[in-house]
Amino acid sequence: MNLPEGLVRAIPHVRSVCVLTGAGISAESGVPTFRGDDGLWKKFRPEELANVDAFLSNPSVVWEWYAYRRRLISEVHPNDGHRALVRLESLVDDLLVVTQNVDGLHQEAGSTKVVEIHGNIRRNHCHACKREMDVDLLQQAGPPSCPQCGGMVRPSVVWFGEMLPMAAFGTAELAARRCDLFLSVGTSGVVYPAASLPFTAKNSGAYLLEIDPEETQLTRYADGVVRASASVGLTAVVAVFEQQKVRS
Ligand code: APR
């Protein structure tokens, strides 16, 4: 695979990497993306479901949708894209994976430096009192009631219109500011504030690389583009880091 020349020249000087991942990195594990042809949006119209109003007015429908996604995610496994990022963690002094995905596949692959800025579908909390719950909810027909306050239990994901977890996003912004190389992998770059992170990195002097089989909102601002799947593109990029390590 031909990688951008500027990237190959930059890699020997890279000490800090920040990676933003989106639904595309889990596509090869079998999790449909949100905005592709087989996107979850198309089948289930989640723009109408992934928000607080929908949950409060139609809890069982929203619950059913999340139960479907939970079931799907419980059956999939990390792929070579996730695994390449695990190797990269051991090859650079500083690396942070910032993921918009709620599937936990980076951690399952073995990445230890991950921030989940849109939450995690495997966790739940009470919408009213915020207490976290650790229960198997796949069997439930609708949202169970919180044993503490009677409120409705919900998945611990960030819905449209909700604030991102402040600490996680702050950590992501700091990593974007200090990195030498920023990788945007499998994200359409349309959902903010996540989509601001590549610009934060570029404005702070980082080389900005996009890995995505399709053109995205970010493409024209990227210093380099790899038009490939996450597994193929990341494996090729990490191989350059590995060769560099052998030489040094
Ligand atoms: N490898 C890499 N990228 C891929 C692959 C693949 N195998 N297959 C598809 N893609 C790309 C698509 O070309 C697209 O650019 O992944 C991207 C997926 O974009 P979206 O479906 O919009 O997903 P994402 O960017 O993660 O969405 C952001 O929006 O719906 C909300 O909260 C949800 O976190 C999500 C956020």
Side-chain angles (χ1 to χ4, degrees):
M1 138 142 312
N2 276 344
L3 294 175
E5 272 179 31
L7 172 72
V8 177
R9 274 201 307 273
I11 283 178
H13 310 288
V14 167
R15 298 285 167 268
S16 174
V17 182
C18 182
V19 190
L20 175 67
T21 64
I25 194 167
S26 293
E28 287 162 280
S29 291
V31 184
T33 61
F34 291 101
R35 294 175 183 80
D37 288 339
D38 63 346
L40 287 170
W41 288 149
K42 296 261 158 68
K43 281 184 215 160
F44 292 93
R45 302 203 298 162
E47 65 277 270
E48 291 167 37
L49 296 177
N51 68 71
V52 176
D53 290 343
F55 181 63
L56 296 179
S57 61
N58 214 339
S60 55
V61 172
V62 174
W63 189 261
E64 205 177 302
W65 184 61
Y66 277 97
Y68 159 78
R69 293 184 57 203
R70 281 188 159 119
R71 213 166 285 124
L72 196 145
I73 284 167
S74 73
E75 289 162 1
V76 301
H77 300 287
N79 62 59
D80 285 347
H82 299 103
R83 285 189 281 273
L85 289 178
V86 178
R87 293 200 302 283
L88 189 55
E89 192 176 302
S90 66
L91 293 166
V92 288
D93 296 340
D94 177 41
L95 174 134
L96 186 70
V97 175
V98 179
T99 190
Q100 299 167 86
N101 299 342
V102 296
D103 54 30
L105 291 180
H106 287 297
Q107 296 92 324
E108 198 178 320
S111 284
T112 62
K113 304 208 175 115
V114 183
V115 292
E116 296 174 314
I117 56 175
H118 289 172
N120 190 306
I121 201 170
R122 302 178 201 218
R123 291 197 298 269
N124 314 278
H125 66 270
C126 170
H127 184 66
C129 74
K130 315 295 176 213
R131 185 182 169 194
E132 286 194 21
M133 315 272 158
D134 186 15
V135 281
D136 178 11
L137 298 171
L138 287 180
Q139 311 308 326
Q140 307 271 346
S145 301
C146 170
Q148 186 147 298
C149 75
M152 283 196 290
V153 175
R154 56 167 282 181
S156 297
V157 300
V158 178
W159 281 331
F160 284 99
E162 290 185 318
M163 291 278 290
L164 266 58
M166 252 164 40
F169 194 68
T171 303
E173 279 198 307
L174 282 177
R177 231 172 265 143
R178 73 170 177 265
C179 71
D180 316 302
L181 173 63
F182 189 99
L183 308 179
S184 177
V185 185
T187 176
S188 55
V190 297
V191 174
Y192 279 79
S196 68
L197 293 169
F199 296 103
T200 301
K202 192 172 163 88
N203 291 338
S204 307
Y207 183 98
L208 177 54
L209 182 76
E210 171 176 272
I211 301 177
D212 199 296
E214 308 285 338
E215 188 169 340
T216 75
Q217 294 292 311
L218 187 68
T219 301
R220 65 189 151 120
Y221 305 102
D223 297 302
V225 173
V226 174
R227 279 279 162 264
S229 69
S231 64
V232 170
L234 279 172
T235 300
V237 171
V238 173
V240 180
F241 278 91
E242 283 164 338
Q243 286 155 14
Q244 174 67 27
K245 182 98 176 175
V246 170
R247 267 190 236 120
S248 60

